[in-house]
Amino acid sequence: MQARCLSQIYGLKRNMNKFVNMRKSIFIALILLCLSSAFAEAADMEYFLPTEYQLMTELYKNDAQGFIKGKEEFLKKCEYINSRVLSGREYPEQKILYDNARVFFENVNYEKYIWVLLPITRNNDEAEAVKNTDWATEFQYILALFKHRQKENKSDLIFIAPTCFFDAVHFTINTFEIIKGKNKNKGVIHFRNLLRYDLTCDSNNHWNGFSYRKTKEQAEGYVMGDYYLFDEKSSTVEFEKEDELPDFIYRPKNWNKIPINASAFLWELKNPLKYGLQNAFDQNPATSFVENTENDLMSLDIWIGESVEKAALINGYAKNTDLYKANNRIKSVLAHFDLSDDELGYQFIPCKSSNIAVTSIYGGSKYSDTCLAEVNFFCGGEWIFGDIEEVNE
């Protein structure tokens, strides 16, 4: 009798363990499903904000609606961008989908930033033109960045921009990058990335296709940037009047900024900014700016406005040794300074100029693309594009 009871108890225990394990399996499966869904939904943010999206947390839909509710001036500016920039006047069916607004927050160095993504339906002509173009997103978007003031519990609007749009000769992607220091953030870079294309139209002058420009049989991207500094002028934000907006973007006209320009880069069609210029300032050696020029050389023009003391570069595609060797690396800069090969860390150049002109390269074993993982300049007692801890040997 006692043996039978013990047997029943052990059997019950085994069944309970099976039930618990089954519940664990179901729970894990649900978690993985949620994670895969969340990752899929974050794809658009990776497309537009490749250096920031992994640091973001998305608000629930009700909280997102609560954030944009009552921000009449903000919504008015968004409608202006839709009507004037994104052809909403000519195509009244093109609408901002406010009910599908997505809001994300990002905490960096005890500062809070809030990103708002508003989808816009494509107008009928554009939707027809891009339906067979697998590198164009389903929606256009308006992207806004707010900086939160904790003490006042108030969020200040800093930027509003269309994330991507077609004009007569370019497909444009606007992206932003917060430059992060060790103890405080230094500013925000706005990059305007352009893919040149030729537009084809039907007999009614309606778009019906695109053919993009190539160099070395690869899509050729162009980029320009402005680095807006967090300094004494950034305590307030002043915007241009609507009819004077440069590039149809709301941005602080009263802040100090550093213009940035660069050579053509490798535009990956389904992930356009994978090799974009933002990678050279993200303090992540695993990403790189990759040129796409006929001679495989590159240049960066950065107008800091005064002489610098030195530059710091991480050469090549420094994610790992295999990628580093497979791609071209920089050999000499400004015809005066040589970089060591086989060095995946920072190298320092005692230059006075903040312009980088590559004059010779180390050839890659597999690819002919020249790569630059990071660049920074020391000026006025600090590193301009994020802090670097130098090791004295």
Side-chain angles (χ1 to χ4, degrees), residues 247-276:
D247 303 325
F248 306 105
I249 296 171
Y250 289 93
R251 50 191 163 193
K253 70 173 186 178
N254 58 314
W255 289 16
N256 288 321
K257 66 179 181 179
I258 296 173
I260 303 171
N261 211 338
S263 308
F265 71 96
L266 179 59
W267 183 292
E268 183 79 12
L269 287 177
K270 293 187 178 181
N271 188 3
L273 305 184
K274 182 177 181 179
Y275 305 115

Side-chain angles (χ1 to χ4, degrees), residues 28 66 125 313 330:
I28 291 170
D125 279 356
L313 292 84
I330 298 170

